[in-house]
Amino acid sequence: MGIPTTQFPMIELSRRQDGSNDISAFARDVAEGLRQPRKTLPSRYFYDGTGSRLFQQIMELPEYYLTRSELEVLTQHKYEMAQLFSRRGFFHLIDLGAGDALKTRILLQGLSGQQKEFDYVPVDISGDAMRQLSDNMRQQLPQLQVEAVVGEYFQALEWLQENKPGRKVVLFLGSNIGNFKPDESINFLRSIRSYLSPGDQLLMGVDLRKDPATILRAYNDASGVTAAFNLNLLHRINRELDANFKVDQFSHHAMYNPQEGVMRSFLVSKAEQEVYIQKAGLTVHFDSWEAIHTENSCKYTIPQVEEMGRQCGFRPETVFYDNRQGFADVLFSID
Ligand code: AVI
């Protein structure tokens, strides 16, 4: 007989496994992007099963400093963060895009070690990831109250507003904000703000401006994992939208603009070619060396991040840096 285990509750607001098992939305977004004079594809579609595994590998690459830097920030400042979160008593710790919660675990240890009163609400679009995380948490931090939510961020925040009254501390780590366009990040932060109340807080991870060579290496690693991650988008379109991209006829190209602070990734067509995407009802022509823009990863200055927060109704409270001041978790409050 197995050992009886208590299951953590899990709320399933969406049954989609990743950014878009909603094929019609995927087909529409792909068609819209590839019809532009300057072709684009949205980076949120990187994360199918293979893409998520490749991203895990990216986070371990020697060149990809972001994850290690944020782990350092959290390890060094977890007790101070725990104090600031719990100043006003009990709170819900809401982890947007929790995934395997590798980073949040450090924070959870800091909070649990100081006997702070809170519960943990990881939010992710992947039901599998949330089940796995709940199981791991049960084993590693059995005292912790966990209620995982499977769904989109705003769906989850709305559910929380209706079902879990009380103070909220929202985590948006990993410099995920950097993958939005400037107007999208403002809209995103304003939407988050609309679900929060005075006394609530937001801890947001941001990658900071630094030597352009360091940034470029992080998105153009020697072992080619980032290239595979980028090219996987074409494999995904082939598989899910019945397309015939010859993936080996495209190459990964990354470039950093130090004036804008934007890292841009492209897929470049190595030859003139035509691609048919059946489920999008589209034939796309590529000239030789024509490119598809697939991702932006913004790098910030602290004044920029603080101003972005202020514009969206947040008051910058504390900036936590890594040792090299190349990455920061910025704590915002709502007055
Ligand atoms: C998820 N996001 C913050 C990563 C980044 O650094 O922009 C995605 C990534 N793209 C290429 N490498 C990593």
Side-chain angles (χ1 to χ4, degrees):
M1 217 168 65
I3 301 163
T5 52
T6 22
Q7 216 50 57
F8 280 124
M10 195 166 99
I11 310 299
E12 294 204 45
L13 303 175
S14 161
R15 288 196 165 270
R16 284 162 53 186
Q17 289 301 300
D18 52 57
S20 80
N21 272 351
D22 180 351
I23 291 297
S24 55
F26 186 27
R28 190 194 54 223
D29 292 344
V30 166
E32 193 186 309
L34 295 182
R35 279 196 184 109
Q36 304 294 321
R38 289 182 177 199
K39 296 180 172 59
T40 62
L41 286 171
S43 60
R44 66 176 176 281
Y45 292 111
F46 280 148
Y47 303 92
D48 64 349
T50 309
S52 302
R53 277 190 294 279
L54 286 165
F55 183 56
Q56 292 292 328
Q57 289 179 34
I58 287 177
M59 289 193 285
E60 287 169 16
L61 289 170
E63 295 96 333
Y64 194 77
Y65 58 84
L66 286 82
T67 311
R68 278 185 301 281
S69 303
E70 194 167 38
L71 284 170
E72 195 175 283
V73 177
L74 294 166
T75 306
Q76 289 183 1
H77 301 286
K78 60 181 183 246
Y79 294 120
E80 207 183 330
M81 289 176 179
Q83 289 292 358
L84 291 168
F85 293 170
S86 56
R87 242 182 352 211
R88 298 181 198 195
F90 180 88
F91 62 94
H92 304 294
L93 185 68
I94 301 159
D95 191 1
L96 297 183
D100 64 0
L102 176 76
K103 287 172 255 177
T104 318
R105 232 168 274 231
I106 296 172
L107 206 47
L108 293 172
Q109 281 156 1
L111 284 156
S112 305
Q114 294 196 340
Q115 322 257 297
K116 301 298 185 195
E117 292 205 19
F118 71 103
D119 64 5
Y120 177 51
V121 187
V123 177
D124 205 287
I125 195 68
S126 164
D128 288 346
M130 289 302 88
R131 257 180 294 279
Q132 182 77 52
L133 178 60
S134 297
D135 281 356
N136 291 345
M137 288 294 173
R138 195 177 54 233
Q139 284 165 20
Q140 292 167 8
L141 292 167
Q143 323 308 2
L144 182 66
Q145 280 203 43
V146 180
E147 188 161 19
V149 180
V150 180
E152 309 271 353
Y153 298 158
F154 297 127
Q155 244 183 339
L157 286 167
E158 196 171 316
W159 180 86
L160 280 158
Q161 208 175 31
E162 283 162 16
N163 296 279
K164 274 185 165 277
R167 212 164 60 77
K168 299 181 181 64
V169 176
V170 175
L171 304 177
F172 192 50
L173 303 179
S175 200
N176 287 333
I177 191 77
N179 295 133
F180 291 124
K181 294 189 194 118
D183 57 329
E184 286 172 348
S185 36
I186 295 291
N187 291 341
F188 179 81
L189 290 177
R190 285 197 176 135
S191 301
I192 293 200
R193 170 65 186 85
S194 71
Y195 291 105
L196 302 181
S197 307
D200 292 348
Q201 290 165 307
L202 165 71
L203 184 72
M204 184 165 78
V206 284
D207 193 18
L208 302 177
R209 296 204 185 177
K210 56 182 67 64
D211 183 349
T214 306
I215 295 176
L216 192 55
R217 270 197 299 274
Y219 294 83
N220 196 21
D221 61 284
S223 50
V225 182
T226 309
F229 174 70
N230 197 5
L231 287 161
N232 178 58
L233 190 49
L234 302 185
H235 285 298
R236 182 178 187 176
I237 297 174
N238 280 350
R239 200 178 53 248
E240 294 185 19
L241 301 183
D242 293 334
N244 62 357
F245 275 103
K246 291 190 192 105
V247 179
D248 62 355
Q249 288 302 301
F250 288 83
S251 60
H252 166 71
H253 180 73
M255 57 190 279
Y256 178 64
N257 182 326
Q259 285 188 317
E260 295 174 79
V262 183
M263 178 71 227
R264 293 189 174 89
S265 297
F266 300 88
L267 289 167
V268 182
S269 173
K270 295 189 212 170
E272 183 176 4
Q273 53 183 320
E274 268 186 6
V275 176
Y276 179 54
I277 307 172
Q278 193 188 11
K279 289 199 175 146
L282 183 72
T283 301
V284 194
H285 178 89
F286 289 91
D287 289 330
S288 305
W289 309 117
E290 185 177 352
I292 312 171
H293 176 203
T294 51
E295 186 178 51
N296 278 353
S297 299
C298 294
K299 312 301 165 191
Y300 300 95
T301 64
I302 288 296
Q304 245 180 351
V305 178
E306 292 181 334
E307 183 47 34
M308 187 161 72
R310 274 189 214 101
Q311 271 185 44
C312 302
F314 294 95
R315 177 174 58 78
E317 193 179 329
T318 313
V319 181
F320 300 99
Y321 292 96
D322 69 333
N323 289 336
R324 295 181 183 197
Q325 306 224 324
F327 196 100
D329 281 332
V330 182
L331 182 64
F332 293 99
S333 295
I334 296 174
D335 295 323

